[in-house]
Amino acid sequence: MRDYTYGPFQSRRLGLSLGINVLPNYKVCTFNCVYCEIGSTDKKNLVPPNFRIKFPPSSKFRKELASILSLVPHLNSITFGYNGEPTLNDHLLDFLNIAYEVRENCEWTGQKPLLTLFTNSSTLYLEEIRERVKQFEFILAKLDVATDDDFKRTNRPHNKSPNIEAIINSLVKLREEKTVDHKLVIQSLIYNSYNRDFTSNNNNSNLDKLALALKRIKPDLVQIYTTARIPAEYYVYSIDDTRKNEIVKYLEDLIQDKSITINFY
Ligand code: SF4
């Protein structure tokens, strides 16, 4: 039985990716996103961004990882994320260091798989967390919204979460502080709502502000995507490829900065 790893899965955004869970076997997160594909965040596990989990890797992590990596010499990404927000674990770097050592001892057919981190960006206002996050070679940071109303509706953050402006500021800092060879990618999940009383983040006021935020953050890449599995809320559904393409063009027109690449997936 595997305790820490999932897959590998073929991902449109990462290539062949092996998932690493660094959290206990239940979802724990600072957000309760309406579209979350692992279900709603239980009230007791919706935690503030300064909450810390002490969950060190057991000796099994190294063995489990080494045995799987030996089977996939063409892997593209070792991807930390899954049961919630991985930066909540105080032992995140212990996991990363082991993954680094195991990767260095493997034979690869092409480039080594990148050490990748998913974060919902809520903890990045803390310098100590940015210090940890920037150790990852490929940082996938969530920014679905850029207005506080959209933030509250879409991500339903813990009430001690920083507001969206503070999160955007922390992403600017992270980009300034990280080393140039490590990449910062902003991921924006855009969705629709069947519920007439619920405005999804697929609205122009949100997209206008998102463009301004992206212009300030200047990430290496922006990935626009949508829901692909069953969302936490019944009224959420995916946008189609035509709309994704329209959003990319809309953002590009507003941003007017050719150094910021925006793709849709
Ligand atoms: S941040 Fe990620 S894990 Fe947390 S609720 Fe949102 S989609 Fe789910």
Side-chain angles (χ1 to χ4, degrees), residues 29 45 48 61 70 81 97 102 172 181 203 230 234 251:
C29 198
N45 298 323
F61 176 58
S70 68
N97 291 337
V102 174
V172 173
D181 55 329
N203 69 76
I230 297 171
Y234 72 93
L251 293 174

Side-chain angles (χ1 to χ4, degrees), residues 27 42 85 103 116 175 191 194 227 245 250:
K27 180 186 177 189
D42 199 275
E85 174 50 35
R103 179 187 71 171
T116 300
R175 193 257 307 146
Y191 65 94
Y194 286 119
T227 54
N245 199 18
Y250 189 75

Side-chain angles (χ1 to χ4, degrees), residues 20-123:
I20 308 287
N21 179 38
V22 299
L23 293 171
N25 274 336
Y26 54 85
K27 180 186 177 189
V28 53
C29 198
T30 51
F31 289 176
N32 181 20
C33 302
V34 287
Y35 60 74
C36 185
E37 295 174 348
I38 53 172
S40 295
T41 314
D42 199 275
K43 214 170 172 186
K44 66 178 188 309
N45 298 323
L46 178 63
V47 296
N50 62 355
F51 181 85
R52 289 292 160 267
I53 295 165
K54 307 280 180 195
F55 186 66
S58 73
S59 57
K60 193 178 170 199
F61 176 58
R62 183 185 293 272
K63 278 192 214 136
E64 184 178 318
L65 188 61
S67 91
I68 290 167
L69 292 187
S70 68
L71 302 173
V72 278
H74 53 302
L75 193 71
N76 301 114
S77 175
I78 300 171
T79 311
F80 291 67
Y82 302 88
N83 264 356
E85 174 50 35
T87 60
L88 293 171
N89 187 352
D90 242 351
H91 293 272
L92 179 63
L93 291 188
D94 296 333
F95 280 90
L96 176 67
N97 291 337
I98 292 171
Y100 179 85
E101 286 167 20
V102 174
R103 179 187 71 171
E104 297 307 297
N105 285 323
C106 288
E107 303 269 329
W108 302 104
T109 50
Q111 282 194 328
K112 293 173 194 171
L114 292 172
L115 294 161
T116 300
L117 177 74
F118 275 121
T119 175
N120 68 13
S121 313
S122 64
T123 56

Side-chain angles (χ1 to χ4, degrees), residues 248-265:
V248 169
K249 292 203 160 45
Y250 189 75
L251 293 174
E252 281 173 347
D253 284 350
L254 289 173
I255 294 173
Q256 293 286 324
D257 181 345
K258 294 247 181 296
S259 71
I260 302 176
T261 305
I262 309 176
N263 289 336
F264 77 81
Y265 295 85

Side-chain angles (χ1 to χ4, degrees), residues 234-245:
Y234 72 93
Y235 49 80
V236 166
Y237 70 101
S238 52
I239 58 169
D240 59 22
D241 280 358
T242 308
R243 180 62 182 149
K244 283 185 220 166
N245 199 18

Side-chain angles (χ1 to χ4, degrees), residues 99-261:
Y100 179 85
E101 286 167 20
V102 174
R103 179 187 71 171
E104 297 307 297
N105 285 323
C106 288
E107 303 269 329
W108 302 104
T109 50
Q111 282 194 328
K112 293 173 194 171
L114 292 172
L115 294 161
T116 300
L117 177 74
F118 275 121
T119 175
N120 68 13
S121 313
S122 64
T123 56
L124 297 175
Y125 71 100
L126 298 163
E127 190 182 345
E128 171 195 35
I129 298 293
R130 290 198 306 281
E131 280 299 317
R132 295 176 190 177
V133 166
K134 69 190 196 198
Q135 312 291 322
F136 286 81
E137 295 161 348
F138 205 61
I139 305 158
L140 299 168
K142 178 186 293 303
L143 188 68
D144 307 320
V145 295
T147 76
D148 272 315
D149 284 346
D150 282 291
F151 185 37
K152 284 183 191 137
R153 276 194 299 265
T154 289
N155 301 114
R156 301 188 298 195
H158 186 278
N159 59 19
K160 296 249 171 64
S161 168
N163 64 21
I164 200 64
E165 187 58 20
I167 289 178
I168 292 164
N169 289 340
S170 62
L171 286 163
V172 173
K173 274 195 189 144
L174 178 65
R175 193 257 307 146
E176 288 167 354
E177 292 168 1
K178 75 170 182 62
T179 55
V180 279
D181 55 329
H182 288 190
K183 301 286 176 233
L184 173 63
V185 177
I186 297 293
Q187 294 201 318
S188 303
L189 186 147
I190 311 290
Y191 65 94
N192 281 323
S193 164
Y194 286 119
N195 181 346
R196 282 196 196 153
D197 299 327
F198 181 92
T199 307
S200 81
N201 66 348
N202 183 15
N203 69 76
N204 283 359
S205 140
N206 183 46
L207 295 174
D208 291 352
K209 293 274 172 35
L210 194 56
L212 290 176
L214 294 171
K215 201 174 167 101
R216 283 183 55 214
I217 298 167
K218 287 189 188 296
D220 294 290
L221 178 66
V222 180
Q223 298 182 330
I224 303 293
Y225 70 117
T226 193
T227 54
R229 297 192 197 90
I230 297 171
E233 299 297 343
Y234 72 93
Y235 49 80
V236 166
Y237 70 101
S238 52
I239 58 169
D240 59 22
D241 280 358
T242 308
R243 180 62 182 149
K244 283 185 220 166
N245 199 18
E246 274 170 19
I247 290 172
V248 169
K249 292 203 160 45
Y250 189 75
L251 293 174
E252 281 173 347
D253 284 350
L254 289 173
I255 294 173
Q256 293 286 324
D257 181 345
K258 294 247 181 296
S259 71
I260 302 176
T261 305

